[in-house]
Amino acid sequence: MLQEILKNAVPKKVRLDCLEQYLIYLETNLQHVTDFEAKITFYKPEPEKQRLQC
């Protein structure tokens, strides 16, 4: 059983590389979410867009 697990195990270097790439992905997503949140927080519509169009 243990030999079967070890045979299918991913090498440590590959796991670390994958984790590093995943961390970069998470940091990028966090930056996008933070930027979008800032846009929403400070968004002020232009006066002509606030009027109802008939």
Side-chain angles (χ1 to χ4, degrees):
M1 172 85 174
L2 181 59
Q3 288 182 353
E4 185 68 26
I5 293 171
L6 292 175
K7 186 176 91 173
N8 294 328
V10 177
K12 186 176 182 178
K13 173 73 173 130
V14 173
R15 287 185 306 209
L16 291 175
D17 288 345
C18 288
L19 286 173
E20 185 177 4
Q21 288 298 316
Y22 186 58
L23 179 60
I24 291 169
Y25 167 77
L26 289 176
E27 288 173 337
T28 303
N29 272 357
L30 176 63
Q31 189 61 51
H32 288 306
V33 169
T34 304
D35 290 347
F36 186 65
E37 184 180 35
K39 284 182 185 178
I40 291 173
T41 302
F42 298 108
Y43 175 74
K44 293 181 182 169
E46 297 174 23
E48 60 270 9
K49 290 184 180 178
Q50 291 178 352
R51 292 190 210 114
L52 292 176
Q53 306 245 345
C54 296

